[in-house]
Amino acid sequence: MAQFYFKYGSMNSGKTIEILKVAHNYEEQGKNVVIMTSAIDTRAGVGVVASRIGMQREAIAIEDDTDVYALIEKMDPKPYCILIDEAQFLTKKHVYDFARVVDDLDVPVMAFGLKNDFRNELFEGSKYLLLLADKIDEIKTICQFCSKKATMVLRTVDGKPVYEGEQIQIGGNETYIPVCRKHYFRPEI
């Protein structure tokens, strides 16, 4: 019986590497997987899943109006697994449609993404993944300033922390830092 997974972690926790590893393992066994990602993240190009260590793969770009259930239902052969990168950018409808993929099509779905944004608020996709996922796992990394577990993302502009602004601003290490709670509130310490 298929299950719906949400694997979340802070920036630099290895979420994309995990997707690429899982895809490789399935494909080594001759099982086809479908990799999907949000069309919002264009750092490596639209429809490209790319890790910070240089590995990347083509993926299906999910737009706001993409009917993911219909897309997957039409696939022949049926995939053994759906892997989603940048799942925090999914809409409520996408998350519910992926739950239907698991329940009605019996295809496992593994969604990977951030849980909370730089304001320490849930992303829409993360909120509904936390509500609907059968299994929720944290992928851990450490704070950039100490050895504690990073649970938050600090947005910076010119090296200074920013706590207000638009929720979505695409960026990498130049913009976001994985931090623990203490250093989220007091990064100068």
Side-chain angles (χ1 to χ4, degrees):
M1 182 168 169
Q3 291 194 310
F4 196 6
Y5 300 85
F6 180 37
K7 298 182 181 238
Y8 70 90
S10 187
M11 299 290 290
N12 293 326
S13 61
K15 298 178 296 293
T16 302
I17 285 296
E18 184 70 15
I19 287 171
L20 298 173
K21 179 182 84 172
V22 170
H24 175 77
N25 289 342
Y26 271 100
E27 290 165 347
E28 281 281 290
Q29 299 173 14
K31 298 173 181 170
N32 64 316
V33 299
V34 172
I35 300 176
M36 304 178 89
T37 189
S38 171
I40 292 172
D41 186 355
T42 59
R43 287 175 291 168
V46 176
V48 177
V49 171
S51 75
R52 285 182 175 76
I53 65 169
M55 297 175 63
Q56 66 180 41
R57 289 250 326 238
E58 293 294 317
I60 296 171
I62 303 170
E63 303 278 352
D64 280 349
D65 62 352
T66 302
D67 184 340
V68 293
Y69 182 84
L71 181 71
I72 295 164
E73 183 181 38
K74 292 176 190 170
M75 291 181 176
D76 186 30
K78 180 172 78 170
Y80 277 86
C81 183
I82 307 292
L83 302 167
I84 307 161
D85 198 18
E86 304 295 346
Q88 70 272 10
F89 298 138
L90 296 174
T91 65
K92 177 181 179 180
K93 182 181 181 334
H94 292 139
V95 175
Y96 274 82
D97 281 351
F98 280 120
R100 285 184 54 217
V101 167
V102 172
D103 297 339
D104 298 349
L105 304 179
D106 200 33
V107 175
V109 173
M110 294 181 186
F112 295 76
L114 299 170
K115 181 180 69 172
N116 41 303
D117 66 16
F118 77 102
R119 298 173 302 189
N120 206 26
E121 296 177 11
L122 293 175
F123 284 96
E124 178 180 352
S126 304
K127 174 182 174 181
Y128 291 101
L129 286 162
L130 287 167
L131 290 171
L132 295 182
D134 298 308
K135 296 197 184 260
I136 300 168
D137 292 314
E138 180 180 22
I139 300 174
K140 297 175 179 80
T141 192
I142 58 170
C143 174
Q144 183 165 311
F145 300 109
C146 69
S147 59
K148 290 183 182 176
K149 180 174 76 170
T151 58
M152 299 180 181
V153 177
L154 186 65
R155 181 186 286 176
T156 61
V157 175
D158 298 323
K160 304 281 189 231
V162 177
Y163 298 96
E164 293 182 14
E166 291 294 317
Q167 183 180 48
I168 298 173
Q169 177 183 318
I170 303 303
N173 295 339
E174 77 288 350
T175 307
Y176 295 102
I177 301 170
V179 293
C180 66
R181 184 181 58 242
K182 174 182 175 181
H183 288 107
Y184 174 81
F185 293 108
R186 297 189 316 261
E188 68 282 353
I189 296 178

